[in-house]
DNA sequence: TATGAATGAGCTTTCATTCAT
DNA sequence: AATGAATGAAAGCTCATTCAT
């Protein structure tokens, strides 16, 4: 019974925390980190400012938690894609598809992350940013391994080092996703992952 | 003598302006727009705060001037590359090379631009940002035209629409340049433009 | 108990607001609107600057509140006087007396209002000023109506239009009150309203 | 020849000074003392800011000079009126008329003076203000003397002390002049001085 | 002598954070 | 435990004044 009471309280706490993060995400992604005040977030989440500070010791902490929480969801989705059964091509297709879905479902977070973090790795956000970079590095290495395996299996020409190919694939995804972010109607990618893969897969220059 | 006096003054003004912009660039790219105060910039440039405001009517104005000034230099360099003589492949090579050089020479500005602008088009920087986006759009269309011409000339397979190819090429450049930005020793790109072109040019998948 | 707590808080809020307004009034009337800083007011009222801004959203707002609050008190007192029972002469006597009392009790505010507002209707204070002017206009019309009624009743000679008489009476009051404001000992008016009325009432020129 | 050179220079200086004061008057009366910068005045007068400071050691000094200069002109005009030939009634009529003219011709100055000075006698303008007050006091005494003489001559009833009558007359003039200042079309006074004198002269209450 | 570039004290205002209730 | 009133450091910006030219 003790544990149940505690767990109910904890469940409530988690729910409150989520509401706060949701409010913060909405505001941050709409107006940018520096143009949102802690009072605004508290008001939107319908908590007192003091309560907000009970959960997050300062604004930066709240921001980091937000980014990390979202990053976790991405991590899970992308990891699952890379572990999908099938040959190298299938794995990459799954990855490209998963990235598209994750992106589409979390446009707000991504907008926020790119608005506030890119290049700002040297300042406030250093901590989060490093974490995110490390994760990206991890994915790049796993994708590189897939390319390497594909090359060894004779499935891919070795047109570049595997890590380079991984960066190329990932950045092509991001580029087209940003295109879609700016103008959701005009672009095919997130719906059709092969559109991207083809660019990398088909030889462009006549032979 | 009159003209000389005036020109000396004007030269001094330009020099002062440059010092201010340099100080601002250094601080902005190190700490981010919102974490740098006008006093800080003035102090770093060794001018009084009032003098800074004589040159730039407010903080946003200073930021815009900084970005636009750099953007002009990029524009000139990249335009020249796209107008170079030679076939489509040569033009693209020149572009990739020019982008690499410009990037390497202006790492700080680029860091700043990506730190503050991406997605922040909703806030303060809307004006500059639109300008920069328009320029990028212009380049993408010119690159797309080169791809189209190359396809018509039978030099390229039509593996995707020209505009898509343009986005792909440009974002591959950016991706590898950011890689280099983070870790200048380990990457070949800015020195060897063909490393990038090959990814797009050579067929990856076995045929 | 709930209500009592709330009412205690509200009472405290009102008390704080009054302290702030009192501090502001003292400083403004001593040094003039533009020569008093918000920090000064906060310090004099013994609040933090942020607390001051919780109550008044900016300096102008504080000033307007100050003037309007006082203006209300004048309005009430003078209106009551004009509605007093008795004939026209009695009503006017009541008005002159009430104006004297109100003036004497609020010398600081009046000093402030005349220091900052007169003719400055072109600047910041346009809003309040118009309000005050409208109120004055209202009183002048009510006084004019009394004169008119007195003339119709044969109690007054029609030596000028009623509105002109109203202006004359009101400005005589003000003139003597300013005299008293500058040198409180030497003048009889606020204590003896008939001193003023007589000037208007008794024929000056021999007939 | 020496003297002539000097006098030419001095004439020029006086002319420059007048241009500066004229520019300052226009700006001050339009926007109020605190809303006009020294740069604005210098620009309007078409002098360098440094030159302005050669003539007036600071902003307050410029303001005082402006008010005093205008005050001199009033002084001369009003003094002349009080010294006009004729009996007491004629002298007063001349005064009322002169005040009206002076007022009409110098509306800008008067607006300025009343906007910035009234009641602010305790702050910046203390010096000027005292000077102006002293002059007003002087006029009031001279007018009082006229009333006294008129009373002794049996021309006036002694309905109040002469000084009080002087204040009454002067403030009636001012009141109606302000009425005209706010709404130049609707009022007769500055054109018809008897309109005011009558209020004081004719008995109002039936006898 | 006239200039106007340069100065920096000081203003209004915001907002992350604390802590008594 | 939750609240939100109170805090005050620090920001952007203005403008009276100075002084080297």
């Amino acid at each position: 019974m003790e544990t149940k009471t505690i767990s109910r309280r904890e469940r409530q706490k988690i729910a409150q925390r989520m509401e706060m993060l949701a409010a913060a995400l909405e505001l941050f992604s709409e107006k940018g980190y520096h143009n949102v005040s802690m009072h605004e977030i508290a008001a939107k989440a319908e908590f007192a400012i003091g309560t907000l500070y009970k959960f997050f010791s300062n604004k930066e902490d709240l921001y980091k938690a937000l980014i990390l929480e979202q990053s976790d969801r991405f991590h899970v989705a992308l990891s699952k894609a890379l572990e999908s059964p099938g040959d190298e091509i299938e794995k990459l297709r799954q990855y490209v598809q998963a990235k598209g879905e994750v992106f589409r479902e979390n446009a707000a977070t991504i907008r926020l992350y790119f608005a506030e973090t890119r290049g700002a790795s040297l300042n406030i956000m250093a901590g989060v940013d490093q974490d995110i970079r490390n994760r990206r590095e991890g994915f790049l290495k796993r994708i590189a391994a897939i390319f390497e395996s594909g090359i060894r299996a004779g499935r891919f020409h070795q047109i570049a080092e595997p890590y380079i190919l991984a960066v190329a694939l990932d950045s092509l995804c991001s580029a087209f996703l940003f295109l879609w972010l700016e103008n959701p109607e005009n672009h095919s990618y997130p719906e059709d992952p092969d559109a991207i893969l083809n660019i990398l897969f088909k030889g462009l220059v006549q032979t």
Side-chain angles (χ1 to χ4, degrees), chain A residues 55-123:
Chain A
F55 283 81
F56 306 98
S57 62
N58 54 46
K59 193 181 178 185
E60 192 187 329
D61 190 54
L62 167 56
Y63 174 79
K64 286 182 180 174
L66 191 56
I67 296 293
L68 251 29
E69 198 124 312
Q70 301 288 328
S71 163
D72 276 345
R73 295 168 51 193
F74 296 2
H75 188 83
V76 168
L78 298 183
S79 283
K80 218 177 104 192
L82 287 179
E83 284 154 10
S84 65
D87 64 8
E88 288 83 4
I89 291 179
E90 184 55 27
K91 280 181 207 285
L92 294 178
R93 175 177 289 120
Q94 291 295 331
Y95 177 78
V96 171
Q97 179 140 28
K99 186 156 178 175
E101 274 162 17
V102 140
F103 212 99
R104 204 166 38 181
E105 285 161 12
N106 299 280
T109 314
I110 283 156
R111 222 178 237 123
L112 169 59
Y113 179 67
F114 278 89
E116 301 296 343
T117 298
R118 256 288 198 192
S121 58
L122 313 140
N123 34 316

Side-chain angles (χ1 to χ4, degrees), chain A residues 7-201:
Chain A
S7 98
R8 188 170 350 129
R9 274 195 194 151
E10 285 190 347
R11 259 183 287 132
Q12 198 208 7
K13 270 205 156 182
I14 288 168
Q16 287 177 327
R17 195 187 135 97
M18 274 176 59
E19 280 183 79
M20 288 172 184
L21 285 172
L25 173 56
E26 199 163 329
L27 288 169
F28 281 153
S29 73
E30 185 192 332
K31 313 182 3 172
Y33 180 81
H34 288 282
N35 302 308
V36 173
S37 75
M38 291 297 268
H39 269 99
E40 244 175 310
I41 296 169
K44 176 143 209 158
E46 298 183 291
F47 289 99
I49 183 76
T51 310
L52 187 58
Y53 272 90
K54 282 276 189 302
F55 283 81
F56 306 98
S57 62
N58 54 46
K59 193 181 178 185
E60 192 187 329
D61 190 54
L62 167 56
Y63 174 79
K64 286 182 180 174
L66 191 56
I67 296 293
L68 251 29
E69 198 124 312
Q70 301 288 328
S71 163
D72 276 345
R73 295 168 51 193
F74 296 2
H75 188 83
V76 168
L78 298 183
S79 283
K80 218 177 104 192
L82 287 179
E83 284 154 10
S84 65
D87 64 8
E88 288 83 4
I89 291 179
E90 184 55 27
K91 280 181 207 285
L92 294 178
R93 175 177 289 120
Q94 291 295 331
Y95 177 78
V96 171
Q97 179 140 28
K99 186 156 178 175
E101 274 162 17
V102 140
F103 212 99
R104 204 166 38 181
E105 285 161 12
N106 299 280
T109 314
I110 283 156
R111 222 178 237 123
L112 169 59
Y113 179 67
F114 278 89
E116 301 296 343
T117 298
R118 256 288 198 192
S121 58
L122 313 140
N123 34 316
I124 342 177
M125 307 307 170
V128 215
D129 202 40
Q130 197 48 54
D131 200 278
I132 304 260
R133 275 162 202 271
N134 290 343
R135 286 195 167 169
R136 183 172 189 250
E137 192 58 26
F139 280 117
L140 288 175
K141 282 184 178 149
R142 287 163 77 180
I143 297 170
I146 293 173
F147 276 113
E148 195 172 9
S149 141
I151 289 166
R152 261 207 300 264
R155 239 179 229 106
F156 298 141
H157 285 148
Q158 179 155 18
I159 62 172
E161 300 215 351
Y163 184 79
I164 294 297
L165 289 171
V167 170
L169 179 64
D170 193 64
S171 64
L172 283 176
C173 289
S174 297
F176 288 105
L177 287 167
F178 275 115
L179 228 57
W180 166 82
L181 206 61
E182 285 169 12
N183 196 341
E185 289 82 30
N186 282 13
H187 297 281
S188 58
Y189 166 27
E191 318 250 329
D192 174 16
D194 288 322
I196 281 193
L197 284 169
N198 279 343
I199 291 171
L200 212 54
F201 283 10

